[in-house]
Amino acid sequence: MNIRKLHTDEHPPIDLLVLADPSESLVEEYLHRGECFVAESDQKIIGVYVLLPTRPETVELVNIAVIEPMQNQGIGKRLVIHAMQTAKSRGFKTMEVGTGNSSIGQLALYQKCGFRMTGIDSNFFVKHYAEEIFENGIQCRDMVRLAKEF
Ligand code: ACO
């Protein structure tokens, strides 16, 4: 598997990006302001992440996804580690990430990669998404904010 920056003349893998964020308009906005990286295997895109600078020395991992047949094989963790190395090499001191209260696997992944919880954005998903989101039998209402210092 090779992880590389998406070239400016390439189409971003929207089908994959909307797995992480069902709002295509928010995804388009992140892509416009951030940097998109893709993981490839046999010339096929199997994973993606987007880094978005938010404040001086702070970058947010706004979108990370792995194609469904290849989930739970360690690729997501490799993408998070690659994202942290990329951000560090560019001089960022803090990486932030936000995920739903119902995103149990994602909360596990980020904490296994060293992120700590820093806050809750209450009702974020109720306010900003037209459709109700359910995962693991739990309604996704709040965004759990996590951060890691380098
Ligand atoms: N309980 C405990 N640990 C768990 C659980 C769980 N329910 N689910 C996952 N994990 C752990 C795994 O055991 C693994 O830890 P380990 O390496 O110590 O064994 C770790 O989480 C990561 O597992 P990976 O196999 O690397 O994860 P994967 O390749 O499936 O990628 C991802 C994770 C990107 C979340 C993938 O499942 C995906 O694309 N999901 C759909 C899109 C999505 O939800 N993206 C994130 C949205 S939030 C955002 O983008 C900021």
Side-chain angles (χ1 to χ4, degrees):
M1 182 180 88
N2 177 44
I3 304 175
R4 65 169 176 86
K5 194 174 164 187
L6 193 75
H7 302 305
T8 44
D9 58 352
E10 282 180 289
H11 289 295
I14 292 290
D15 291 357
L16 198 46
L17 289 158
V18 295
L19 280 183
D21 190 329
S23 166
E24 214 167 303
S25 59
L26 274 183
V27 169
E28 295 283 355
E29 207 236 325
Y30 297 149
L31 287 169
H32 185 64
R33 294 193 289 134
E35 277 187 282
C36 183
F37 292 81
V38 290
E40 282 174 328
S41 178
D42 297 328
Q43 295 174 345
K44 182 177 185 298
I45 292 179
I46 58 166
V48 68
Y49 74 83
V50 178
L51 286 183
L52 185 70
T54 49
R55 292 191 298 280
E57 302 190 330
T58 300
V59 68
E60 182 163 348
L61 180 61
V62 284
N63 197 304
I64 177 164
V66 173
I67 57 168
E68 273 166 348
M70 296 196 76
Q71 289 176 4
N72 302 311
Q73 295 173 33
I75 297 168
K77 200 169 183 181
R78 283 173 68 183
L79 286 170
V80 175
I81 292 167
H82 190 275
M84 294 192 294
Q85 287 167 345
T86 304
K88 198 173 169 184
S89 72
R90 291 180 188 194
F92 291 103
K93 299 278 196 301
T94 305
M95 179 173 277
E96 295 183 337
V97 69
T99 194
N101 59 283
S102 51
S103 300
I104 308 297
Q106 291 79 344
L107 287 166
L109 165 64
Y110 301 134
Q111 290 179 89
K112 284 181 173 181
C113 290
F115 285 80
R116 299 279 307 274
M117 293 186 189
T118 54
I120 307 283
D121 194 342
S122 262
N123 282 317
F124 177 89
F125 293 98
V126 178
K127 282 187 227 155
H128 297 287
Y129 290 77
E131 305 285 325
E132 287 184 345
I133 306 166
F134 279 85
E135 295 172 294
N136 303 303
I138 307 166
Q139 187 174 357
C140 182
R141 299 175 196 270
D142 309 315
M143 182 185 279
V144 181
R145 302 290 309 168
L146 301 100
K148 181 178 167 74
E149 313 281 329
F150 302 130

